[in-house]
Amino acid sequence: MDDKARIPTNLRTLLILEILSSSDHPLTATEINQDIKLPKQTVHRLCNTLVRAGFLTQLGSSKRYQPAGRLRDLSAGLLDASRVQIARHQILVQVAREARETVNFVVPEELGMSYIDRVETDWAFRIQLPVGTHVPFHCTASGKCFLASLPTRNRRAFVASMELKKLTEQTHTDPDKLLAELKEISSKGYSLDREEFLDGMVAISVPVTDVKGRFFAALAIHGPIQRLSHETVLSHQGTLLDAAEQLRGTIFSDEDGNDALN
């Protein structure tokens, strides 16, 4: 047996997860094995074990694997257990101080966009969406920010698979109109929620990307229409973009200031 065949099982599993995390699309077991070069049946068995355990999922009825919720939870947990969590939160504090509105750090999950960090506004009148809340993709600034980051073909398939539930009079329920807005968001680099999720609430969101430009999270500001009109919400775009760049450098850099993913 060669050195590859003697790789411990737990390390084999990590190598599979590492390869999938570095790919921008789901992979078959054969494609995964191009780098690992283990016996074919071993890679198939390990991938199926990871699916049963909730770390991977298969794309529809295909034989392609992609990260599942449990793996993303693990990734988020590892980040939250480190210095990154503190540094990330301090950037949100800075944005909230400048904008004087609630700031959210939001990631995509199966159930929708998940709030994993936030800083509340100091105004007495505010709209509360606690950490751990899931909100829809199609009618929130952070959700549309994520959808707009997808390649065009994937974006169309994603929208076609969703129930575009009407939550307010402003909610997009027509797939074509939503896709048109997502194309515009992709071009402009920010997304707006114009009372589409909750009556009386508006929001703006920008993407936080990794060092390869891939979507990682959304950074958003929301507030009541009484303080934050459709027009004035755009005044916070520059602050969010600057903060998103700081977050990218903080989350994806090592202690020496080098890109951790390079």
Side-chain angles (χ1 to χ4, degrees), residues 192-213:
L192 299 175
D193 170 2
R194 304 175 180 88
E195 299 185 81
E196 298 158 52
F197 175 50
L198 292 173
D199 285 317
M201 187 186 86
V202 294
I204 182 171
S205 178
V206 301
V208 178
T209 59
D210 66 14
V211 295
K212 295 182 179 179

Side-chain angles (χ1 to χ4, degrees), residues 1-242:
M1 296 176 66
D2 59 20
D3 291 340
K4 289 285 186 181
R6 290 196 293 270
I7 297 174
T9 300
N10 56 350
L11 182 54
R12 296 176 185 181
T13 300
L14 289 174
L15 289 173
I16 289 173
L17 298 179
E18 181 182 43
I19 289 168
L20 280 168
S21 70
S22 64
S23 174
D24 61 0
H25 61 276
L27 300 174
T28 65
T30 301
E31 290 171 334
I32 293 170
N33 202 32
Q34 287 177 357
D35 289 320
I36 304 177
K37 293 181 172 57
L38 289 168
K40 292 181 181 179
Q41 64 271 24
T42 299
V43 176
H44 279 283
R45 176 175 54 80
L46 289 172
C47 287
N48 289 332
T49 298
L50 288 167
V51 169
R52 289 194 296 272
F55 289 100
L56 298 182
T57 184
Q58 285 184 283
L59 185 62
S61 59
S62 75
K63 296 181 180 180
R64 295 183 176 275
Y65 298 92
Q66 62 186 4
R70 191 172 180 185
L71 182 56
R72 287 193 292 273
D73 288 344
L74 174 62
S75 300
L78 290 172
L79 284 175
D80 285 345
S82 72
R83 59 184 173 80
V84 173
Q85 181 187 22
I86 299 172
R88 182 189 69 201
H89 190 77
Q90 289 307 306
I91 293 172
L92 267 62
V93 169
Q94 177 185 338
V95 175
R97 187 180 298 121
E98 292 183 27
R100 293 204 66 198
E101 295 293 348
T102 298
V103 182
N104 306 294
F105 189 81
V106 201
V107 298
E109 295 184 350
E110 283 89 345
L111 297 177
M113 298 299 291
S114 175
Y115 288 77
I116 66 170
D117 199 1
R118 72 179 304 130
V119 175
E120 293 279 2
T121 178
D122 55 5
W123 291 103
F125 178 43
R126 58 195 180 194
I127 299 168
Q128 293 184 321
L129 296 169
V131 168
T133 298
H134 286 88
V135 297
F137 293 110
H138 70 292
C139 59
T140 57
S142 60
K144 291 188 293 182
C145 189
F146 163 65
L147 293 177
S149 74
L150 300 174
T152 302
R153 185 175 180 179
N154 295 21
R155 189 189 306 161
R156 289 184 176 277
F158 201 123
V159 170
S161 71
M162 287 192 302
E163 177 190 3
L164 303 182
K165 187 175 181 181
K166 185 174 183 177
L167 298 180
T168 75
E169 288 300 316
Q170 307 304 320
T171 304
H172 280 302
T173 57
D174 183 330
D176 290 335
K177 290 182 179 179
L178 176 57
L179 286 167
E181 183 181 358
L182 295 177
K183 182 178 180 180
E184 184 179 352
I185 291 169
S186 179
S187 174
K188 289 183 175 180
Y190 66 88
S191 61
L192 299 175
D193 170 2
R194 304 175 180 88
E195 299 185 81
E196 298 158 52
F197 175 50
L198 292 173
D199 285 317
M201 187 186 86
V202 294
I204 182 171
S205 178
V206 301
V208 178
T209 59
D210 66 14
V211 295
K212 295 182 179 179
R214 298 174 298 190
F215 183 94
F216 177 73
L219 182 64
I221 291 173
H222 77 248
I225 195 70
Q226 290 86 346
R227 283 197 310 270
L228 204 59
S229 70
H230 296 161
E231 293 74 24
T232 58
V233 71
L234 281 171
S235 66
H236 299 303
Q237 179 191 355
T239 298
L240 285 175
L241 289 173
D242 289 344

